[in-house]
Amino acid sequence: MNRPSGLVGGRARQAVSGASGAVRATRRGTELMMLAFAAVIMTSAIALVETNQEHEVTLAVVWYGLAYLGIFLVAHLAVRRWAPYADPLILPCVALLNGIGLVMIYRIDLAYAEEAMQVGSDYTMVAPRQVIWTVLALALFLAVLTLISDHRALTRYSYTSGLVGLVALALPAMLPASMSEVNGAKVWIKLGFFSIQPSEFAKILLLIFFANFLVSKRDLFMSAGKRLFGVELPRARDLGPIIIAAAVCLGIFVLQKDLGPALLFFCVVLMLIYVATERFVWVAVGLSFFGAGCVIAYQMFTHIQQRVANWINPFATYYQPGGGYQTAQALFGLGTGGVMGTGLGSGAPETVPEANTDFIIAGIGEELGFIGLAAVLMVYLLLGMRGMRGALAVRDTFGKLLGGGLAFTLVMQVFVVAGGVTKLIPMTGITSPFLSYGGSSLLANYMLVAILLRISDAARRPQQSPRQRPQQQQPPIADAYTVMVQAPSAPAQGIPANGAGQAAPPAPPPTPPSQPDGDPPDTAEDTDKTSPASGNDTTEGDAKS
């Protein structure tokens, strides 16, 4: 007896049969359980902060956790409705990172409020605003997921996306400093009480453009030029796109006085070119151009020289304006946390400037230690790997490049932030995705996750089996029309064929198929043809030669 395809191991699961007949589960139940687990971790973290800050732990903490689970439950239902085959771990990873970020922002708010109270001033907490930005980001997430039913539809707007992305990227550099500059970097657009960082959205728009451009112009990058030291170099006329990308990045770097967006954008473009062509020479050429431009910029601009000096030895420039004070304080915090950390609410992350934005990684490393910080980085790595997995499994080239570029953007952004905090690379102004305070980063990254889920859904969705033509019904073997094989003729020596002096009788005529229900023939003519007494029997005299 056949068992229903939706029942596996006695439990109901959402499943579908693919072209091969195998049952593929949507795994939305796994996603829901992981979201609940993320909400439990966030609730426990808030309780630890309240306990270590000697605050009364009330049932309000539980309500915070339930509210957090509720807003992500809406996102889960949207994914279940519009992207049922998407990867079940992407959204829980995002929820966990966002929850940890909210807890750290709230913990830093408590420290800033205590400092303000000691000096007799007021401090406005930013954690409630981050909650509002999270709700708005999830609303934008739902809008992208519902409006983009197929990621391949984005190819129709690729050139428009590229133009809008370039304008958004360059606009802050063209505005006066009063409308665009914050902490020395011109990356904002400030309009009264409202401010936005357009480079966060520009990276997604430019990725759409470059992915479609590489799909249509892939042969351009596959053309080989002269060989040098056994390496096939690209032709000089084919270097235009990579030179333009390097020039745009360096122009942003110079005009905005910010290394982070330029480094992120250029590395993503190089990754896309390498994935499209599988030729490492393009990566080497691109890094050579970028390195040469950085050397030239270092010789021309003093603020770049200051960044490099802070990177090489932040303690030497500790007391200088714009010196290595931030980097040194972050290193002190990481050293204080050690392996196990001081505990949530027991450290002093507020001693690092911009602790809730650019240096939130340092606060996590101080209070959660090396183990906690490594766990957070592993969640980022898992998020990037699942995004890459969906990009590799999708069936169209545009989806592979776009999904791979979006996943690599998240991983590269975390590397730039963590590398700057730990003094691995010069410090930049990029925020940690889903952790740092900021509305622009949350809105853009939730859009990015929605597109990743759409690509993952297309990759995991089973193919529809082609319609098979109905086969003609074959009659049973017993009712099939048969032909009797005629006996061979007598040998040439005149020996009788039957061995008894007589020739073999001729074969009877073919018997037509009988009635399927076993009824007798309908006519007398049919009876004469099939009856053994019809006079057609072969006699002995007829067989004589």
Side-chain angles (χ1 to χ4, degrees):
M1 182 177 179
N2 295 331
R3 185 170 57 178
S5 60
L7 295 178
V8 180
R11 295 184 179 181
R13 297 176 64 187
Q14 267 189 301
V16 70
S17 297
S20 61
V23 176
R24 177 177 295 180
T26 59
R27 305 295 299 275
R28 298 274 68 83
T30 302
E31 180 182 81
L32 182 59
M33 289 189 295
M34 297 298 291
L35 287 174
F37 180 66
V40 169
I41 291 179
M42 177 196 171
T43 306
S44 304
I46 294 177
L48 285 175
V49 170
E50 295 287 355
T51 302
N52 290 328
Q53 288 289 309
E54 298 181 356
H55 293 175
E56 182 182 0
V57 180
T58 63
L59 287 177
V61 175
V62 178
W63 289 112
Y64 293 153
L66 291 176
Y68 186 75
L69 178 60
I71 60 176
F72 274 96
L73 180 61
V74 176
H76 164 75
L77 294 176
V79 174
R80 183 183 287 267
R81 171 65 177 84
W82 287 289
Y85 298 96
D87 194 291
L89 291 182
I90 291 180
L91 188 60
C93 288
V94 171
L96 181 59
L97 292 171
N98 198 351
I100 294 175
L102 285 172
V103 172
M104 285 304 303
I105 293 171
Y106 173 67
R107 188 267 170 275
I108 295 170
D109 277 346
L110 294 178
Y112 285 158
E114 185 177 355
E115 287 185 352
M117 184 178 62
Q118 291 176 357
V119 298
S121 61
D122 295 329
Y123 173 75
T124 303
M125 302 183 71
V126 298
R129 281 184 280 176
Q130 184 73 352
V131 173
I132 295 175
W133 281 119
T134 301
V135 174
L136 294 176
L138 282 170
L140 184 59
F141 167 86
L142 299 180
V144 173
L145 198 64
T146 55
L147 293 177
I148 303 177
S149 59
D150 190 347
H151 64 275
R152 292 172 294 183
L154 295 174
T155 57
R156 293 179 292 185
Y157 311 101
S158 60
Y159 286 93
T160 304
S161 300
L163 179 61
V164 175
L166 284 177
V167 172
L169 202 63
L171 186 59
M174 305 301 174
L175 296 176
S178 60
M179 298 178 61
S180 62
E181 186 171 347
V182 176
N183 295 329
K186 299 183 64 176
V187 295
W188 293 88
I189 296 179
K190 297 185 295 183
L191 300 174
F193 65 94
F194 178 76
S195 62
I196 190 172
Q197 192 173 355
S199 62
E200 294 286 347
F201 302 92
K203 64 184 180 184
I204 301 177
L205 297 173
L206 291 174
L207 272 176
I208 295 173
F209 165 73
F210 271 100
N212 187 53
F213 177 80
L214 289 174
V215 170
S216 58
K217 304 294 183 180
R218 181 174 180 270
D219 294 338
L220 179 71
F221 294 90
M222 294 297 292
S223 302
K226 297 181 180 179
R227 296 181 64 89
L228 181 63
F229 301 109
V231 178
E232 292 184 355
L233 298 177
R235 295 177 300 184
R237 61 177 178 269
D238 297 336
L239 295 177
I242 201 71
I243 293 177
I244 292 175
V248 170
C249 290
L250 290 175
I252 296 170
F253 176 36
V254 171
L255 296 176
Q256 295 184 348
K257 304 177 183 179
D258 195 4
L259 174 64
L263 180 62
L264 176 64
F265 174 68
F266 191 75
C267 289
V268 171
V269 170
L270 285 184
M271 189 279 297
L272 289 178
I273 294 176
Y274 175 72
V275 171
T277 62
E278 297 183 0
R279 297 183 64 192
F280 185 75
V281 63
W282 282 105
V283 180
V285 171
L287 291 178
S288 300
F289 278 118
F290 191 76
C294 289
V295 171
I296 296 174
Y298 176 80
Q299 301 294 332
M300 296 176 59
F301 301 101
T302 57
H303 67 275
I304 300 177
Q305 298 174 6
Q306 184 69 55
R307 287 283 184 93
V308 175
N310 298 339
W311 169 51
I312 294 175
N313 189 0
F315 303 101
T317 59
Y318 186 81
Y319 296 103
Q320 296 179 8
Y325 177 77
Q326 279 183 308
T327 304
Q329 289 296 110
L331 294 176
F332 287 146
L334 293 174
T336 303
V339 176
M340 302 299 295
T342 60
L344 281 173
S346 299
E350 70 278 2
T351 59
V352 183
E354 306 296 335
N356 53 8
T357 54
D358 298 349
F359 283 84
I360 196 170
I361 289 289
I364 294 175
E366 178 180 355
E367 298 203 335
L368 296 181
F370 172 78
I371 295 178
L373 181 58
V376 172
L377 296 180
M378 287 298 294
V379 175
Y380 275 119
L381 181 61
L382 181 61
L383 177 60
M385 289 178 60
R386 302 301 287 197
M388 286 284 187
R389 182 179 179 181
L392 292 176
V394 78
R395 300 173 183 91
D396 61 291
T397 308
F398 173 75
K400 291 181 185 294
L401 291 178
L402 180 60
L406 294 174
F408 182 78
T409 299
L410 289 174
V411 176
M412 187 66 192
Q413 192 167 342
V414 175
F415 168 76
V416 171
V417 174
V421 171
T422 58
K423 209 176 77 65
L424 180 63
I425 61 175
M427 188 60 204
T428 63
I430 295 181
T431 57
S432 302
F434 309 110
L435 286 179
S436 301
Y437 168 73
S440 300
S441 178
L442 271 182
L443 293 172
N445 286 315
Y446 270 100
M447 288 179 59
L448 185 151
V449 169
I451 299 175
L452 273 183
L453 287 174
R454 174 57 61 201
I455 295 174
S456 176
D457 175 72
R460 290 166 53 89
R461 183 179 294 273
Q463 289 182 331
Q464 298 293 334
S465 59
R467 288 186 176 180
Q468 298 181 357
R469 295 182 178 179
Q471 298 181 356
Q472 295 182 354
Q473 186 70 23
Q474 298 293 333
I477 296 178
D479 299 336
Y481 182 79
T482 58
V483 178
M484 300 298 293
V485 180
Q486 189 175 6
S489 61
Q493 289 81 359
I495 301 174
N498 59 358
Q502 295 180 353
T511 303
S514 61
Q515 298 297 325
D517 55 355
D519 292 339
D522 294 335
T523 63
E525 183 180 358
D526 295 336
T527 305
D528 292 340
K529 290 181 181 179
T530 58
S531 174
S534 61
N536 292 333
D537 294 342
T538 304
T539 62
E540 183 178 351
D542 294 335
K544 293 181 181 180
S545 50

